Amino acid sequence: MESLIKSQHAQQLAGHSSTKSPGTEMIPATTGLTMSSDENMMLKLIQHTHSPDAREVQVRGLLHLIEDILDRATLDSDDTNASKLPLPTEDKLMQSSIMSVLDSVSYAIDRVACEIAYKSLTGSDAHEITMSVFEHLSSFHWDGKLVLTLAAFALNYGEFWLLVQFYSKNQLAKSLATLKLVPVQNRVTLESVSQGLNDLIREMKSVTACVVELSELPDRYITPDDPQLSRIIATIPIAVYWTIRSVVACISQINMITAMGHEMMNTQMDSWETSMLANKLKNIHDHLSETLRFCYRHIERRRSSESLKVLHSLFDTTHIDNMKILTALIHPNTHVTPLQDGLTKSKVHLDVLRRKTVLLLISDLYILQDELSIFEQIYTESRRSLMGVDGKSHMPYEVVWVPVVDPIEDFERSPSLQNKFEALRAAMPWYTVDSPKLVERHVVEFMRERWHFMNKPILVVIDPQGNEASLNALHMIWIWGTEAFPFTRSREEELWRRETFSLNLIVDGIDSVIFNWINPENDNYIFLYGGDDLDWIRRFTTAAKATAKDSNVKLEMAYVGKRNHSHREQTRRISEAVRSENLSHCWTEPALMWFFWTRLESMLYSKIQLGKADDHDEVMQGIKKILSYDKLGGWALLSKGPEIVMIAHGAIERTMSVYDRTWKTHVPTKGYTKAIYDHHHDEILRDTGKPCGHFDFHITARSGRIPEKMNCFECQRPMEKYMSFACCHDEKLLDQEENYNF
C-alpha cells in the first residue's frame, strides 16, 4: 500500500498541468471532501514533508494501547463501560511486541507531545503546529505519523484524566493535579471537557484505524496501475492532516484549561471548533470506510482470479487420484471434515471419496422438491440393488451435494436461508458439503465458467483419477438411471444405440399401470395426452372412448399434464377433474408429471450434445413433436402396445369427433390405428394445416445443449432463434426467466 501512496506522491510533486487540480481528483465528489485551492496547496506542502526511510513501524499493537487509554480516560474511575473494557497489555506476547515498538519510537512520541504542548501555549496557529508535527515525523510512513501523534495525545489526555480519577484517593495525584492546575473540583468544567471532546476523539480513533488498515493492505493487489485505486488511496495524506489537526485542537483545549486554572472554573468550553473538526473527520472516515470496502472487493476479485487460474490448471493436470481436485473444490484448509454423511449425519473427511467416481450435485437452495424426490428414489433403488451380503452398499460411485449461495454474504445474514439449507440436507441420504460457506467464491465462478452452472441443478461426474467424466450427467440419470454409469459420452452413445422410439422409452419406469398396458399380449391401444384446456380434454377423451367402444378395441388413456411448471396449479386442478370425472388414468403425484417432461427434455438435450439435433433421428423427431405440440396446447400420442403410431396436436380431438361421419367405415378394412392416421393426415391436416415447431430452451441449458441451428420437424426449414423472458412462480419466485426460443 505504501508503494502506491509513494507513487501518487511522486506524480503529484511532478506537477501535472490540468484544469482540475490533483488534490480535487483524489477525493471523489460523493464523499463531500472536495478540496479548495488553499487545501490543494496545503496538500502539496504535506507531501513535501514526506520522505519516509526504510523503517517499518508495526503500529497495530501500539494503536490498541492508545485506544485502551482513550477509552478509559473518563470522568469517573469506576465508569461502568470503562471497567468492562479488556486489558490489551495483559497478553505477555503482545506487551513484548508493544515494548519493542516503543523502544524505537518513544523519543518521537515525546517530541511530538512537547512540540504540540509548547506551541499551543505560545499561541501558534493550529495549521503551523500541524505542519511542524509533519516535519518532525517526516521519516515515518503515513500510518506511523498518525499513530505516533495519537500516542502523544494519549500521553497528554490520559495523564489529565488519571489525575482527575485519583485526586480524591491518592495524595500524590492530588498534589500533581494542584501543581498542573487541573480543575478537579469543578465537575461542570470537567463534564464540559469530556462531552466536548468525546465525539472528536471517537472520529480521530476511527480515521486512524482506517488509515492503519489501509496501510496493511497487500502491495501485491493494491498497485499504481489501477487509476481508480490510485485516486482514492491518495486521499490518505489529507486524512492524516485533519486527524493531526484535531489532535492539536484537543491538546490545545486541555492545555488552555490547565494554564488558566481557576479562571476557567465557571466557563463552558467553546464547542464550535471541535464540532467542526468532528464533522470533517466523520466525512473523511466515511470516505475511508468506503475506500476500504472497495479495496477489499478489489483484493477479493484479484485473489479469486488467481485461485480460478490455479483451479483451471489443476483440472488440466493428470492426477493419480481425485483428492487434489476434490480438496480444491470443497475443502478449505480450515475445515478438517467438510462433508456430512447423509445416512449417519456425522461429519466425515474427504478420504471417503478417494478413488471413487464422485457425482457432484451442484445447485442453489431452491432446488425443486420434485427433482430431489425423483433423484432420491433413483439413488435409493441403486443403493439397495448393490447391497452386499455384509449389509453394506457396494456402489461404485458417491453423490455429494454442493450447495451454492452467491453471494455467500446472503447466507451469512439470512436465518431463513440457513434454515432452508439445513432442511434440504436433512432429507438427503447422500453426502453433503457441510456449509455453503465452504464453497469459495472462485469455485463458484469456476463452476459457472467451466461447467456452465446457472443455479439450476447440474450433476458433474469426477472419475477416480480426478478427470471430468461428464459436465452434466443429470439428463443421463433421468433417462436411464444408474444404468448410465460411468456417465461418459461413450456410455451415452452405447445406450442410445439400444433404444428405439417407442412407448417403452417415453414412459419407462414412471408408471407400472402404463407399463402393463404396453405389454403386447394385452393388445391395448394407448393414448397419452396433455394440455391445460379442460374442455378440450373432455371432448377428446369422450370422443376417443366412443370410437374405441364402437370399433370394439381396448383403448387406455393417460393424462400427462403440461411441460411448463408455471402452469403447475392449473395442471393440478385439471388432474383432479380428470380423476373425479373418470375421464382417464392420471398420475396422482405431481413429481411423476415433472419426471415425465424432464425425461423428454433430457432426451432432447442428450441428442443435441451428441450432435443429433437436426438429422433424421427418429427419437429426436418424435421428442421435438411432443415438446412443440405441448407448447401449442392439447396434443396426443397414439400407440399400439409399445409401437408409437402417431403424435398429433389439438386437431386430433376433431379427428375423434367426426368418427361416425367419416373414418368409421374404414376401421374394418384398415384397422383402428390406420383408419385414424389416414383420416387425420389426409383430411383433418389438409384443412387445419401442420403447425410448425416451437421450442423453448431455458438459459441454464446453454452448456452445449442449445444448438446453433435447428430445423422444423414438419417443414424441415431452418427455424428462427429468439430470446424471451417469462415470469415464473413455482418453487422459487423469480422475477424473470431467460429462454431461447426456436
Side-chain angles (χ1 to χ4, degrees):
M1 170 63 74
E2 185 66 28
S3 63
L4 176 58
I5 301 173
K6 284 180 181 177
S7 172
Q8 284 291 316
H9 177 212
Q11 291 175 15
Q12 288 152 356
L13 289 181
H16 300 294
S17 60
S18 172
T19 55
K20 288 185 179 181
S21 66
T24 303
E25 293 203 352
M26 282 189 207
I27 304 173
T30 54
T31 64
L33 298 178
T34 305
M35 295 165 56
S36 67
S37 58
D38 288 343
E39 288 175 312
N40 282 317
M41 184 61 69
M42 175 189 71
L43 183 58
K44 290 181 179 180
L45 293 174
I46 296 170
Q47 290 164 338
H48 274 292
T49 68
H50 187 58
S51 55
D53 54 27
R55 285 182 298 175
E56 291 289 344
V57 180
Q58 301 300 318
V59 298
R60 174 63 68 178
L62 182 56
L63 178 60
H64 287 324
L65 179 62
I66 294 166
E67 289 172 337
D68 181 65
I69 292 170
L70 297 178
D71 288 340
R72 297 175 190 278
T74 59
L75 184 58
D76 298 311
S77 61
D78 59 346
D79 179 85
T80 304
N81 293 326
S83 64
K84 293 181 179 179
L85 294 171
L87 300 175
T89 56
E90 285 186 347
D91 185 284
K92 291 184 178 179
L93 186 61
M94 180 180 289
Q95 189 171 16
S96 174
S97 173
I98 293 173
M99 293 304 298
S100 176
V101 172
L102 286 173
D103 283 343
S104 63
V105 299
S106 59
Y107 173 76
I109 294 172
D110 289 337
R111 187 177 180 185
V112 168
C114 293
E115 180 75 10
I116 296 175
Y118 173 75
K119 289 198 172 182
S120 64
L121 287 173
T122 59
S124 297
D125 176 74
H127 171 69
E128 180 187 338
I129 300 173
T130 304
M131 293 308 300
S132 175
V133 171
F134 276 110
E135 292 287 352
H136 285 302
L137 299 177
S138 61
S139 61
F140 292 92
H141 296 296
W142 296 109
D143 58 325
K145 296 180 200 294
L146 195 48
V147 172
L148 295 184
T149 305
L150 202 63
F153 171 65
L155 280 176
N156 182 294
Y157 196 65
E159 181 186 38
F160 179 88
W161 287 108
L162 190 64
L163 293 177
V164 171
Q165 291 177 3
F166 284 90
Y167 175 82
S168 61
K169 304 174 184 178
N170 185 283
Q171 183 57 44
L172 177 60
K174 185 174 183 179
S175 298
L176 280 173
T178 302
L179 185 63
K180 295 178 73 69
L181 298 178
V182 176
V184 291
Q185 294 179 324
N186 191 330
R187 193 172 184 88
V188 173
T189 299
L190 293 176
E191 287 178 351
S192 176
V193 173
S194 179
Q195 294 171 4
L197 298 183
N198 277 350
D199 289 344
L200 180 55
I201 292 172
R202 182 172 60 251
E203 297 301 337
M204 285 158 48
K205 291 190 299 180
S206 298
V207 171
T208 304
C210 282
V211 170
V212 170
E213 193 170 350
L214 281 166
S215 71
E216 293 172 342
L217 296 178
D219 290 338
R220 177 182 177 184
Y221 302 112
I222 308 298
T223 57
D225 58 358
D226 188 314
Q228 188 173 8
L229 276 175
S230 298
R231 185 173 65 254
I232 61 178
I233 294 300
T235 60
I236 287 180
I238 202 65
V240 173
Y241 172 86
W242 283 110
T243 309
I244 294 178
R245 176 82 172 259
S246 298
V247 168
V248 171
C250 289
I251 292 178
S252 295
Q253 295 257 20
I254 296 296
N255 286 346
M256 187 181 298
I257 294 171
T258 56
M260 298 184 69
H262 296 283
E263 295 179 17
M264 289 287 294
M265 284 288 203
N266 298 313
T267 62
Q268 294 291 317
M269 285 185 62
D270 183 2
S271 62
W272 179 86
E273 183 183 22
T274 55
S275 177
M276 181 275 292
L277 288 170
N279 186 61
K280 183 80 172 179
L281 288 189
K282 184 180 185 307
N283 289 337
I284 292 175
H285 174 248
D286 291 344
H287 165 70
L288 292 180
S289 296
E290 182 56 39
T291 297
L292 272 170
R293 286 190 288 270
F294 176 86
C295 288
Y296 281 127
R297 289 194 297 268
H298 175 80
I299 292 169
E300 176 63 26
R301 286 193 297 269
R302 291 284 299 273
R303 284 177 173 164
S304 182
S305 178
E306 290 177 356
S307 299
L308 185 61
K309 289 178 182 177
V310 171
L311 198 52
H312 276 291
S313 176
L314 193 63
F315 270 83
D316 294 333
T317 305
T318 302
H319 305 282
I320 60 172
D321 62 24
N322 55 8
M323 291 310 293
K324 282 188 177 179
I325 292 294
L326 296 175
T327 300
L329 292 173
I330 53 178
H331 187 190
N333 296 330
T334 57
H335 217 81
V336 179
T337 54
L339 301 179
Q340 176 174 288
D341 188 314
L343 296 177
T344 65
K345 305 305 178 186
S346 59
K347 303 294 188 292
V348 295
H349 194 271
L350 277 176
D351 277 336
V352 297
L353 306 176
R354 187 184 295 274
R355 294 193 178 90
K356 289 187 178 182
T357 296
V358 179
L359 279 57
L360 300 175
L361 178 60
I362 305 167
S363 77
D364 63 12
L365 301 187
Y366 296 95
I367 185 169
L368 292 174
Q369 193 57 46
D370 292 343
E371 194 160 9
L372 271 181
S373 175
I374 297 297
F375 189 82
E376 181 180 351
Q377 183 178 334
I378 293 172
Y379 174 85
T380 303
E381 289 176 358
S382 173
R383 192 176 187 88
R384 188 182 302 118
S385 67
L386 294 170
M387 194 71 70
V389 293
D390 56 358
K392 297 181 179 179
S393 175
H394 297 276
M395 290 179 67
Y397 64 88
E398 295 290 352
V399 176
V400 178
W401 180 42
V402 183
V404 174
V405 180
D406 187 23
I408 192 59
E409 291 78 14
D410 289 351
F411 181 79
E412 293 171 340
R413 58 176 170 252
S414 173
S416 63
L417 283 180
Q418 295 166 20
N419 293 336
K420 189 170 185 64
F421 165 72
E422 293 296 341
L424 281 171
R425 76 165 176 171
M428 294 180 178
W430 46 80
Y431 292 110
T432 62
V433 174
D434 197 39
S435 169
K437 291 187 286 187
L438 299 185
V439 186
E440 296 179 303
R441 198 180 305 274
H442 71 276
V443 175
V444 175
E445 190 173 350
F446 173 86
M447 292 172 179
R448 297 195 189 283
E449 282 187 12
R450 191 172 181 111
W451 299 336
H452 307 284
F453 170 68
M454 296 184 70
N455 299 333
K456 297 284 186 179
I458 61 173
L459 192 69
V460 176
V461 181
I462 306 297
D463 72 13
Q465 288 73 45
N467 302 311
E468 298 154 300
S470 173
L471 301 189
N472 190 1
L474 264 184
H475 63 277
M476 297 176 69
I477 289 285
W478 299 142
I479 301 170
W480 297 290
T482 54
E483 187 183 354
F485 180 83
F487 311 105
T488 60
R489 182 185 177 91
S490 59
R491 178 58 176 166
E492 187 174 10
E493 291 175 335
E494 177 187 349
L495 290 170
W496 272 125
R497 285 194 291 269
R498 302 180 187 177
E499 300 289 357
T500 58
F501 188 57
S502 66
L503 201 57
N504 282 323
L505 175 64
I506 297 298
V507 297
D508 180 43
I510 296 179
D511 185 355
S512 59
V513 173
I514 298 178
F515 184 77
N516 290 331
W517 292 350
I518 294 173
N519 190 334
E521 295 179 0
N522 293 330
D523 198 30
N524 284 324
Y525 296 86
I526 303 166
F527 262 126
L528 297 186
Y529 68 95
D532 57 2
D533 185 340
L534 185 55
D535 289 337
W536 181 90
I537 291 171
R538 286 171 176 146
R539 293 194 305 271
F540 170 67
T541 53
T542 301
K545 289 176 183 177
T547 64
K549 182 177 181 181
D550 189 73
S551 301
N552 196 30
V553 298
K554 293 170 61 179
L555 178 66
E556 303 290 355
M557 304 183 75
Y559 175 63
V560 296
K562 192 167 182 66
R563 177 191 182 195
N564 194 331
H565 300 307
S566 64
H567 292 218
R568 186 186 184 99
E569 182 58 29
Q570 185 177 1
T571 302
R572 184 190 63 79
R573 290 196 299 268
I574 291 174
S575 299
E576 290 178 353
V578 168
R579 287 193 297 271
S580 63
E581 297 176 25
N582 199 27
L583 299 179
S584 74
H585 176 63
C586 179
W587 292 319
T588 57
E589 297 180 34
L592 294 181
M593 285 188 182
W594 175 89
F595 190 34
F596 172 81
W597 290 105
T598 298
R599 286 188 77 249
L600 292 182
E601 291 175 357
S602 297
M603 294 176 198
L604 180 70
Y605 294 149
S606 175
K607 287 288 186 179
I608 289 172
Q609 288 186 157
L610 294 176
K612 306 292 185 181
D614 273 317
D615 60 13
H616 292 87
D617 182 276
E618 184 184 20
V619 174
M620 188 66 176
Q621 296 304 308
I623 298 302
K624 282 183 181 180
K625 282 188 177 182
I626 296 175
L627 295 177
S628 183
Y629 289 164
D630 171 72
K631 184 74 176 176
L632 296 174
W635 64 276
L637 177 153
L638 174 63
S639 76
K640 176 68 166 64
E643 182 183 351
I644 295 175
V645 176
M646 62 185 290
I647 302 169
H649 62 84
I652 189 66
E653 179 266 328
R654 182 177 170 186
T655 301
M656 296 292 105
S657 299
V658 299
Y659 166 77
D660 287 328
R661 303 193 307 273
T662 54
W663 57 277
K664 173 179 179 178
T665 57
H666 299 291
V667 173
T669 55
K670 293 183 176 181
Y672 183 70
T673 55
K674 178 66 172 168
I676 294 175
Y677 182 90
D678 286 350
H679 183 77
H680 185 75
H681 282 77
D682 297 342
E683 301 296 331
I684 300 298
L685 294 185
R686 184 180 61 190
D687 296 337
T688 63
K690 294 182 178 181
C692 282
H694 187 116
F695 302 99
D696 285 347
F697 291 92
H698 196 278
I699 192 69
T700 55
R702 63 168 52 167
S703 56
R705 295 176 169 187
I706 301 177
E708 287 300 316
K709 61 179 182 177
M710 180 178 279
N711 294 335
C712 176
F713 57 83
E714 294 287 6
C715 65
Q716 299 305 312
R717 288 182 294 186
M719 300 174 72
E720 293 185 349
K721 189 175 182 179
Y722 300 89
M723 180 180 286
S724 68
F725 292 86
C727 192
C728 175
H729 300 277
D730 196 14
E731 296 289 328
K732 177 183 178 183
L733 187 63
L734 299 175
D735 291 330
Q736 291 176 322
E737 283 198 343
E738 191 175 347
N739 300 278
Y740 285 110
N741 297 334
F742 283 89

